[in-house]
Amino acid sequence: MATSVNVNGIEFQPRLLINGEFVEASDKATFNVVNPATGEISCKVPEATEDDTNKAVAAAKAAQAGWAALDPTKRGACLKKLAALIRENNSTLAHLESISMGVPLSHYFHASAGADELDYFAEAWPHIQGQSSVNTPGFMTMTLRQPFGVVACIIPWNAPLYFFCGKAAAALITGNTVVLKSSEKAPLAVAFAASLIAKAGFPPGVFNVLSGHGVPSGRCLTRHMDVRALSFTGSSRTGKLIQEEAAKTNLKSVTLELGGKSPAIIFDDADIEQAISATMTSIILNSGQACIANSRLYVHKSVSQKFIEAFTQRMASVQGGNPLDASTQMGPQADEVQYKNILSYIEEGKKTGTLAVGGKGKLDSTKGYFVEPTVFLNTPEDAKIMKEEVFGPVLNINTFETEEEVIAKANDTEFGLYAAVFTKDLSRAMRMAKALESGYVGINCTSPTAGRDLPFGGYKGSGQGREGRLYSMEHFFGG
Ligand code: NAD
């Protein structure tokens, strides 16, 4: 099987980037990346060993002092150049992402949004400032904002290039060096972006990129004594493991952006058409594989019949298709594991709620990992499918009568990433925004809509710390 892939006439061979060199895994091991739309192997990718991971951390450690001592405009210039190269290669990156995790080309925003992050952080260095004080008699005191040293970034597969750029850029501009590990489900676009790092002018060792599974390379980073900060986006299950490993080793500073089970609440005075359209987009986007997707809808009883009729009709009309076709609106699930997991949640959901739309996978007819958009009605609040993150195009609609009742239901979850409220009553909207235990509350909008300059992150089991523009930089100062 090929260890390279041809995209737009370019033959690309994924490699590990360690100390400025593109290398195979030290034991030559690879893993298969399967195109989820066809079930065929797209490419073989190096599986980084512990030895490779240790080498990448050692290279980052050796390069850090020189990088931190550089004029920050020079650090910024590397980020800017990388942003430009990523934009130039947008269509190649989109294709590589699509053949590894199934994102439709029509929806591909990861590279351009990532390049925006690189551009933003390239100019953000004037914010790296400490404080001074004359409040201690006889002394003038001050704080310094110093980098941690080596930072590890571990990213998921659902918007890889966006996380690759955003996490690394904030760590690099603050003078840290980086070892980033991509997800085993979506390593191709990240490996291609890694091939642009040297062209962007980064000195060897400053920005190292590994591909591989959680074990061994991810776990090695979480345990590494020379990694002083770790920025993670992924499932709550892995987030807990990482927190535990960090506590057992060097108490590295950990930022966690984790899962969600987001509620959207539709009151009787809402613009119903707008609410249907927004909540449907939220659960269909990326085939429901978004941490902020609204997977629990609470609709006021008096408008529920009208809402449910229109919503289910529209969900039933969504067709999965080849993500490489420009007209495709919904692609497959990321891989077989994800596909089977979603189908098992759907079977579980059939035992507790009323299936209104969908409910099947399409593996038999298409070979790809497609799941029908699925809606359940009247599911008990304590059912598994109401409590756990499905991470697919599966949604539950329940009804409510009072504000107190719906607040209690919406908050009765271990997650708290994004909640949405649809109402024309502004006072009620403000009361709800305060009452909902959620990192983000959208009023008359739902995910993915978000304020680009505001902090993003979870309440409760959805994470620790806030990311986004200035807020991401806060995680990368050890002093
Ligand atoms: P995941 O936790 O399975 O994997 C995430 C990353 O962690 C991968 O790179 C994986 O290889 C690595 N990993 C796995 N086990 C590890 C270990 N023991 N030690 C170190 N690293 C390990 O998550 P996923 O399936 O890739 O992503 C989907 C999840 O991510 C969902 O729960 C979703 O809600 C969440 N997510 C959250 C946000 C957010 O901003 N809050 C954004 C996107 C995705």
Side-chain angles (χ1 to χ4, degrees), residues 154-158 163 181-184 213-214 218-219 222 232-235 238 241-242 257-260 291 389 391 417 456:
I154 301 183
I155 62 171
W157 48 266
N158 62 341
F163 296 116
K181 189 193 87 62
S182 59
S183 162
E184 61 279 12
H213 286 72
R219 190 177 66 184
T222 68
F232 173 75
T233 297
S235 63
T238 309
L241 285 175
I242 287 176
E257 292 287 357
L258 309 176
C291 52
E389 186 181 41
F391 224 53
L417 201 53
F456 177 86

Side-chain angles (χ1 to χ4, degrees), residues 386-406:
M386 292 293 283
K387 293 286 176 227
E388 296 181 12
E389 186 181 41
V390 176
F391 224 53
V394 180
L395 166 147
N396 300 276
I397 306 181
N398 280 353
T399 61
F400 71 94
E401 289 184 78
T402 69
E403 212 173 291
E404 296 69 33
E405 176 196 354
V406 79

Side-chain angles (χ1 to χ4, degrees), residues 12 20 75 130 144 242 340 343 381 451 456 459-460:
F12 170 61
R75 297 203 294 268
L144 306 179
I242 287 176
K340 286 189 170 157
L343 288 187
E381 290 294 320
F456 177 86
Y459 251 54
K460 305 195 278 190

Side-chain angles (χ1 to χ4, degrees), residues 108 154 164 212 247 465 468 478:
Y108 188 70
I154 301 183
F164 168 88

Side-chain angles (χ1 to χ4, degrees), residues 6 22 259 306 354 406 451:
N6 189 296
F22 295 99
K306 183 176 166 197
T354 308
V406 79

